[in-house]
Amino acid sequence: MSQGEIVNRSGLPDRLNDGRVDPTGKRMVCGGCAGSDVPLKVYTCEYDKDTNSLKHSPLVDEIRITNSICWSLDGSKMYLADSMKKQI
């Protein structure tokens, strides 16, 4: 089971487009490709041993197509590209 806010708010065919494990190896950061006019979010996903579930929380609001999630060498900064906006 997954816990957290509803990931596919539009109910349309949005899809996972990119995902990476963070430098600590404990969380996955993932984003999607919007199949609608509703912007997506980038989420962190972490397994909770106590509840035996995947917890996800929003990290970035309003992104259209995530690409190239990566971190600085020291792991303190995350970078990602929004292909629709042509921004990093």
Side-chain angles (χ1 to χ4, degrees), residues 46-59:
E46 190 169 1
Y47 178 70
D48 185 335
K49 292 186 284 186
D50 295 332
T51 62
N52 193 31
S53 66
L54 183 65
K55 292 190 177 183
H56 49 81
S57 347
L59 183 64

Side-chain angles (χ1 to χ4, degrees), residues 4-61:
E5 75 174 60
I6 305 235
V7 183
N8 185 352
R9 296 169 296 152
S10 69
L12 296 172
D14 299 334
R15 64 180 172 83
L16 179 63
N17 193 58
D18 200 1
R20 298 279 189 282
V21 174
D22 76 359
T24 68
K26 294 181 181 178
R27 295 178 299 162
M28 180 174 162
V29 176
C30 54
C33 175
S36 67
D37 290 333
V38 178
L40 300 176
K41 295 181 180 183
V42 174
Y43 290 89
T44 61
C45 301
E46 190 169 1
Y47 178 70
D48 185 335
K49 292 186 284 186
D50 295 332
T51 62
N52 193 31
S53 66
L54 183 65
K55 292 190 177 183
H56 49 81
S57 347
L59 183 64
V60 176
D61 289 324

